[in-house]
Each structure stands twice: as C-alpha cells, then as structure tokens.
Amino acid sequence: MIKSAQFPGKVFASKEELFSELRANADKIISCKTSEIYKSIEKGIHVIGFFNRTTVDETKAGPHMKDGYCYPVINTTKYLDSHDDVHLDGIWNKSAKEQNGKLFYVADHEIKTSSIIAWPADVNVMVKSVPWAWVGKDYSGNTEALIYEINKSSIVNPTAKDIIENKRPVQGSVRMQYVKVSLALNSMAKEDVQYKANWDKWIGDIANADVAHEQGYFFAVEEAKIIKEGSMVPFGSNDATPIQQRKDVAGTTTTEDKEPAGPATQKESIFKNFSITKK
C-alpha cells in the first residue's frame, strides 16, 4: 500500500492510482500550496539521514565565515523534503534581497519576544551556492543555501545561545509562501505529458533523487517568499539545514574577518569576502 503526504489518511493500491488522484487534484493542491503560509516543520515522511555538522573547517569550502559569527542554514535547494516539495535554485533570490534587514531569527516559528533569537537589524540574509558536504550531506555537486549571518554577540535568547555555543544538533526552517509551483510525475500516461516533462526537466537536479524515484512524483518550487522569519527547530522538513560556525585554521584568519557585518545587500553580502583556502 502507498501513502502520500498530499492525502493524509488515504492509502493507494498502486502508483497509477496515486497518480490519478494527483492528476485530478493538481490544481487544488497547487492552489493550497501557494495560498498557505508554510512553517517547514518535519512531517516525518521523507526526511532522510539527520546529520548536523556544527563546525566547519573553511578549507572544505563554503561561504566566507567570520570569527564570532554563526551561520544558521535556513533552507537548501534541490532536496526532496517531507512535504513532497523540491525547492529549486533561484527560489529565494527575489525575496532574500527584498527582505534583508526585515527578518527575525526565532525559536520554533514563534514570533514573540521570548522566542526571538536575533532581531532583524542583526540578521544578514545570504543566498549562497555551497557543496552538499557543507550542510552535512554526502551528495555530489552544490545546493543553494538560504543562510543567516549573525554575530553571536547579538543573540538575545539564552537557550539559543547555549545551543549555538555548545554546538547542539538543531536544524533550520523557513516561514514561507510559495509563488510558483509545478507538479512533476514519472508517468507515461498521455494525460501526464506536461507533468512528465516537468519530471524530466528537474529530476536530474535532485540530490536525493532515489526518494523521488521511489514515490514517483514531487512538486517543484521555482519561487517563494520568506515571511517574517527563519527558525531554529529540533527537526525541519529539510534536514540539510545545520548551524555552521567558523573553525579557525592556522593561516586562514585575515583582517577581513574582523570587519563588522553591515547592511549589505543580499548580492553584496554573500560573496564580497568569499575565499577558499587550498590545502
């Protein structure tokens, strides 16, 4: 029997039966996905291999990290999550640029004073292409990560400060609203020509494509809006979202590391000081 996150409580005798239900309800499902404000909390269906790497040697690549800062990864692309969604590269470009300086870092998606970890003025939003290994996954190639850059001295929540300082295993999660979503089906039925075209277009980009092949479908998200905050959570729907911190390596610290974070734009802030130290 086959289950789907899109039809809670229902079981299907075959993929063909599930595909028929998806096809019949595609417009409704997409309408719901684009109207709902998501908090990307794990649903317990397809989150694969929880792994959190909290401290990274900068010689392993990734964005330039400053000493004294933490870098919560709020979301990553090209990863099939427990909502059956795959966020595609470019999904955050518009929203991250528009919302930089306006987004909270909070605990458990609660926007209240006791749950604030860092205020918007202290959260620098970045979108950065990073190797999968940088977010703790053993996949080849890169993912596009939505990252917060926060001076640890700006963390105002004691519990969060303890979690960050002691490198406890937590994940990131984004409050978001989808803008552009498409259904992709691995189906040869004549009714599914466009859905199969979507499948063929994007399946090669998905890091955990084995999960996509197993279930036979996914929803491709090309654009989304960040709504007010990104969160620290025990488990997100996308588990490739650790908190990263600089691990100082002899010879890698420069005077640039000591520059305070400014109100740079998303495009400027990501790569202004990006460097990779070769072994």
Side-chain angles (χ1 to χ4, degrees):
M1 305 302 283
I2 300 172
K3 295 182 179 181
S4 168
Q6 307 309 312
F7 306 104
K10 294 189 70 172
V11 294
F12 301 90
S14 65
K15 282 187 178 180
E16 289 71 24
E17 185 179 326
L18 171 57
F19 290 173
S20 177
E21 194 80 355
L22 286 166
R23 183 188 312 122
N25 292 279
D27 290 344
K28 292 179 182 178
I29 294 171
I30 291 172
S31 178
C32 287
K33 283 181 176 289
T34 53
S35 62
E36 182 178 354
I37 303 298
Y38 276 89
K39 301 171 186 176
S40 54
I41 298 296
E42 183 254 327
K43 287 186 174 181
I45 297 174
H46 289 309
V47 173
I48 308 300
F50 170 68
F51 178 71
N52 188 313
R53 186 155 95 188
T54 54
T55 305
V56 172
D57 182 339
E58 283 198 306
T59 62
K60 303 300 183 184
H64 177 83
M65 293 189 291
K66 301 173 185 176
D67 189 26
Y69 283 71
C70 63
Y71 295 80
V73 179
I74 305 300
N75 189 254
T76 50
T77 60
K78 298 186 289 192
Y79 189 75
L80 180 57
D81 66 24
S82 64
H83 294 269
D84 297 334
D85 299 333
V86 177
H87 297 172
L88 302 174
D89 285 354
I91 181 176
W92 303 118
N93 288 350
K94 185 174 186 292
S95 187
K97 184 175 182 180
E98 292 174 347
Q99 296 299 313
N100 200 10
K102 303 175 184 178
L103 299 173
F104 290 86
Y105 185 40
V106 303
D108 303 315
H109 290 294
E110 294 190 337
I111 307 177
K112 56 185 184 181
T113 52
S114 60
S115 298
I116 292 171
I117 298 173
W119 291 85
D122 300 313
V123 175
N124 189 33
V125 182
M126 310 195 301
V127 177
K128 173 71 174 109
S129 179
V130 299
W132 276 108
W134 195 79
V135 292
K137 291 297 180 181
D138 188 22
Y139 301 128
S140 61
N142 282 23
T143 179
E144 206 167 77
L146 175 66
I147 305 169
Y148 281 2
E149 179 185 63
I150 305 170
N151 191 317
K152 287 190 280 188
S153 66
S154 299
I155 301 296
V156 297
N157 184 295
T159 300
K161 186 182 289 288
D162 174 79
I163 288 169
I164 292 167
E165 291 297 333
N166 289 286
K167 304 175 179 63
R168 303 190 190 281
V170 292
Q171 297 175 2
S173 179
V174 60
R175 185 192 295 249
M176 62 192 168
Q177 182 175 18
Y178 289 161
V179 176
K180 187 175 181 180
V181 183
S182 301
L183 172 63
L185 287 177
N186 189 17
S187 169
M188 298 306 295
K190 62 181 181 180
E191 306 97 318
D192 296 331
V193 171
Q194 184 56 57
Y195 301 142
K196 182 60 163 64
N198 292 340
W199 175 275
D200 293 339
K201 180 178 180 180
W202 290 309
I203 186 61
D205 295 331
I206 301 175
N208 54 341
D210 56 324
V211 181
H213 280 288
E214 181 181 349
Q215 68 180 33
Y217 74 94
F218 58 87
F219 289 87
V221 187
E222 297 182 73
E223 184 182 348
K225 299 176 183 178
I226 311 165
I227 307 296
K228 295 185 180 180
E229 53 91 3
S231 281
M232 176 190 290
V233 297
F235 296 97
S237 63
N238 177 343
D239 67 323
T241 51
I243 296 176
Q244 301 293 29
Q245 301 181 58
R246 179 186 174 92
K247 179 180 179 181
D248 284 321
V249 179
T252 63
T253 302
T254 70
T255 55
E256 290 180 333
D257 297 333
K258 305 304 179 183
E259 292 180 2
T265 65
Q266 174 248 353
K267 193 171 184 180
E268 293 169 339
S269 65
I270 301 170
F271 309 114
K272 179 180 178 182
N273 298 318
F274 174 68
S275 63
I276 298 176
T277 304
K278 295 183 180 179
K279 290 184 177 180

